[in-house]
Amino acid sequence: MSDAAPATADIVVGLVAHQDAENIGVVAKAARQGLDGHCAGLAGRVVLVDTGFGEDSAARAREALGDDGDVLETSTARTPADLLDLPYHGIPGKARALSAILARARELGARACVVLDAGVVSVEPQWVEWLTRPIIAHDFDLVSAYYYRHPYEGALTKGLVYPLVRALYGARLRQPAAAEFACSARLLDRLLDEDLWEREGAHAGIDLWLATAAASGDFRLAEAALGVRTGRARGEAPLGLGTTVTQVVGALFGDLGSRVERWQRVRGSVPVQQFGEPPDAAPAPGGSVDPERLIEQFRLGYRELRDLWTWVLPPRTIVDLARLIDVPVSGFRLEDELWARIVYDFALGYRLRVLARDHLLRSLVPLYLGWLASFVLQVRDLGPADVDLRVERLCAAFEAQKPYLISKWRWPERLRT
Amino acid sequence: MPRPGSAGDPLWYKRAVIYELPVKSFYDANGDGIGDFPGLLEKLDYIEALGVTCLWLLPFFPSPLRDDGYDISDYCNVHPSYGTLDDFRRFLDAAHERRLQVVIELVLNHTSDQHPWFQRARRAPAGSVERDYYVWSDAEDRYRDARIIFTDSERSNWTWDPVAQAYFWHRFFHHQPDLNYDNPTVLQEVLRVIDFWLDLGVDGFRLDAVPYLIEREGTRCENLPETHAVLKAVRRHVQARVPRGMLLAEANQWPADVRAYFADGDECQMAYHFPLMPRMFMGLHLEDRHPIVEIMQQTPAIPETCQWALFLRNHDELTLEMVTDEERDYMHLAYSADAQARINLGIRRRLAPLVGNNRRRIELRNSLLFSLPGTPILYYGDEIGMGDNTYLGDRNGVRTPMQWTGDRNADFSRADPARLYSPVIMDPIYGYRGINVEAQERDASSLLQWMRNLIGLRKLFPAFGSGSLEFLEPANRKILAYVLRYGPDAILCVANLSRSVQPVELSLSALVGLTPVEILGYTDFPVVSEQPYFLTLGPYGFYWFELQRRDV
């Protein structure tokens, strides 16, 4: 930090880097251009947090910015767990990194703090404006990125994370675990005071938890449409679906217990305001998805895991699932209400530890694949708007079934009944 | 250095669910037959799973144990039977890690006659500061208007001390001399004791027997202004050191007298509502809401930062001091036909035996405990419906070992049964083979699971701890109905105090348009209209309704 650099900032842009030396220059430049060109009149600072894996991301960032000396660097200590338990988003120690960025933003008295993943390739300078304007000009507290995705992309979010977060907290935040987001000074104060940074599962769940913390507090939420997001692979083999489900759904379920006073009092949901610009490019086609293969995995799961599911799911659900076993592919439908109740029963099973949580979550995977097959069969011939409508119907089912979750949560004796 | 207090919420005690336990009775980790702090630490998972948020520990200090530890001989240590100070520290840290607050006893009024202060005082010259740690007299004729509290065992509030060649004053047992708060040095000593425990990290103190701190001729020596001055000084001291430190007053008095212990919010934050407890039992036995409504209507408002402590049972007898003679007769006839169950003016029985081990009656009483305005205190073992042994002398019959499993000694201790500080309950109804934690954890319909659920619900709605109370007046007096309001939240509680199905029409005109959602099952009931709201309740049934406005 140069002597001339101001001790305060209106906007802080935090870059979270992990093995991103190749790409961080692009993101740093975009951040600087975004601050200079799209946030006129506001003092901005770039804060870089490298999660500490030996690459000199900071030097690359400085190089990209022309060494203007206006990059604050913060490093976070690496822990052995970071190496053993790679999170689905690919950034070990991300909770500590985000905490460090928010803390720096508070120190600098920032009115808004933007977080960008240093591995995002499709970053544009306008992102800084789109993420911060709702806060600076319209008093919003959390602005979550909304990316334009192929119908099959982000299926776990569409089929479980979004409907569940929406039903629980009443906010229609469509991508609540987005890597890019911005928060107000008021929200970052609250977030820093929340007991979530060191919580078990924070390495994978922190993005989600920031959103649920905001949604369960007295904060105003918005979305910024940032177009299509592409990110670079960080050199690790992609995690298996089982691990991703375990991490994402486990983080979500684990969060429920600490926010019960809020979500059990929420009925219905309200849209969040949209900012940003509509995408000018179609998302890249996703990989081909073969519903028949998914259904086969569901059927295999039913055969292998049915006894285990009976620990969590009531007889009616097991019977409903059994009916799907012999249904031809073309007629395979896992109804929204059934899927919602399955998710809720797994949330209860997780809470009550009816079996080891990791096993419980992994046993959800075949059921999720069954839902995914059903979803793909229903949307494969639809346009984006109709896909959105289909997801809306699913969300409505989650909302309608919420009393099922609450009544069982309050009186767990009713689990499996 | 003092710790800031483990609770984040400055009014944590208003939203708390308190669990009262004697360390000696909970779990014995070292196999000597007496419960201890390492044992309690081992059982914190159970306590956490129960859902309570605060532990109130009965006295665990060095003591001759002639009054179950309320006769303290060293205020700043742990009785060796229960462990060491390091054991206490480990327990406290572990409790705080689980977000459990810990409240300990502060016996302000008296010490053991074995306390070094008393041993020094009886040998010190008359009129010296050391002698004046206690209250002395050459004759028994001072303070004659003060009643005797332990009528079964004490004939006078004065006892002759042959060493001092004088009488010393005691409101309780003759081996518990009262401290003399007219001597300013005594208060300084007590404040040092407070600092010791605050610095270790405790979250509050239950102030034992507070009405009796000061004596004045011509008075009953209870609730005197000078006593309140002492308590205010204690509060100022605690507040300055640990702002979230809580003081809970044990003042077995009428509500109007107890009100003074809250003062203007600058004395004790909490005080027991002693008269409510017997009236909850009376109302249910009479199948008439009148005793409960009457005492609550006599209860004065208290400052916002203060709170009543409510309980059904505790380590003492079901005290009947705060009832009329006629009411006391009724209670004895109703609940202690067996004279063995009586002690002093009360009844030495646990909750389950008091209500004939009737599950519905237990649930109904708990529903009142957890919904009437105040902080509920649950006595260890009552969550599984433990019984008692009225033949153990004094009040020891309600202080028997916690029943963990059906194994030897109820798995409370690995010691030989003869070595236990108290026999476990072994009768065919309440014995540990049938009534124990292990069995009830495996039974989804057990009282333990029911209590866990109820505690969870209680914590979900701040109106239960912090709301205002308004009684409804349906024509059917077997029905007790009231509305709790807290901010925009409103909760309707309806209880059938009788053994038979009862209909009731409630006038809910102030709640028109709201949808009652039954809290336990999250079931919508018909929207409230201008018409009387009709409900039917099963025997000893109760409903809690969250009143939701659906148009928002």
Side-chain angles (χ1 to χ4, degrees), chain B residues 106-110 181-182 186-188 190-191 194 205-214 221-240 245-253 257-272:
Chain B
L106 185 63
V107 184
L108 288 170
N109 182 66
H110 51 263
Y181 282 90
D182 285 328
V186 169
L187 181 58
Q188 293 309 311
V190 167
L191 295 182
I194 288 172
F205 298 95
R206 174 197 181 261
L207 306 182
D208 183 62
V210 288
Y212 315 109
L213 300 186
I214 297 281
C221 299
E222 295 180 20
N223 309 320
L224 297 178
E226 294 89 338
T227 291
H228 290 292
V230 170
L231 292 172
K232 281 193 172 73
V234 170
R235 171 66 185 279
R236 279 195 301 275
H237 186 83
V238 170
Q239 189 86 29
M246 185 274 284
L247 300 178
L248 164 59
E250 188 218 19
N252 191 350
Q253 308 284 324
D257 291 326
V258 178
R259 172 65 184 81
Y261 289 88
F262 297 118
D264 295 323
D266 56 352
E267 203 167 307
C268 296
Q269 293 101 321
M270 292 186 74
Y272 296 99

Side-chain angles (χ1 to χ4, degrees), chain A residues 355-377:
Chain A
L355 57 146
R357 286 177 163 175
D358 188 67
H359 290 183
L360 176 92
L361 293 167
R362 285 180 186 277
S363 78
L364 179 62
V365 173
L367 293 164
Y368 166 70
L369 294 176
W371 170 82
L372 182 58
S374 173
F375 179 73
V376 169
L377 287 166

Side-chain angles (χ1 to χ4, degrees), chain B residues 449-502:
Chain B
Q449 307 285 10
W450 189 91
M451 289 296 298
R452 285 175 175 168
N453 293 341
L454 194 75
I455 291 168
L457 285 181
R458 151 87 191 195
K459 293 193 295 187
L460 202 53
F461 296 92
F464 283 129
S466 306
S468 63
L469 171 72
E470 178 196 347
F471 283 110
L472 305 178
E473 296 178 345
N476 185 348
R477 288 189 23 158
K478 294 180 190 297
I479 299 294
L480 174 66
Y482 44 99
V483 177
L484 304 169
R485 292 175 193 274
Y486 181 71
D489 295 347
I491 290 176
L492 169 64
C493 303
V494 190
N496 174 8
L497 307 182
S498 84
R499 72 197 71 189
S500 54
V501 175
Q502 294 293 326

Side-chain angles (χ1 to χ4, degrees), chain B residues 332-333 335-343 347-349 390-391:
Chain B
H332 278 310
L333 288 165
Y335 288 106
S336 60
D338 177 4
Q340 183 68 27
R342 299 180 191 176
I343 186 171
I347 303 167
R348 49 182 168 187
R349 304 224 68 172
T390 56
Y391 295 94

Side-chain angles (χ1 to χ4, degrees), chain A residues 195 260-262 264-267 351 402-404 406-414, chain B residues 99 444-445 450 453-454 457 459-462 489 517 519-522 524 546 548 550:
Chain A
D195 171 28
V260 64
E261 288 175 23
R262 174 67 183 184
Q264 292 208 0
R265 314 294 296 281
V266 171
R267 272 190 180 256
R351 176 200 174 201
K402 187 175 173 182
Y404 175 88
I406 294 178
S407 65
K408 286 189 162 190
W409 188 282
R410 289 185 180 180
W411 221 254
E413 178 188 339
R414 301 184 186 117
Chain B
R99 300 173 183 232
S445 303
W450 189 91
N453 293 341
L454 194 75
L457 285 181
K459 293 193 295 187
L460 202 53
F461 296 92
D489 295 347
V517 181
I519 286 177
L520 279 66
Y522 205 65
D524 286 4
E546 179 186 3
Q548 293 188 352
R550 289 292 164 76

Side-chain angles (χ1 to χ4, degrees), chain A residues 179-198:
Chain A
E180 282 75 39
F181 66 94
C183 60
S184 67
R186 197 168 75 92
L187 177 57
L188 74 83
D189 264 342
R190 167 70 72 82
L191 294 176
L192 287 169
D193 289 342
E194 282 248 351
D195 171 28
L196 42 76
W197 305 101
E198 302 296 330

Side-chain angles (χ1 to χ4, degrees), chain B residues 170-184:
Chain B
H170 57 88
R171 290 307 298 269
F172 295 93
F173 289 118
H174 62 276
H175 52 79
Q176 292 169 316
D178 277 26
L179 286 163
N180 175 18
Y181 282 90
D182 285 328
N183 177 353

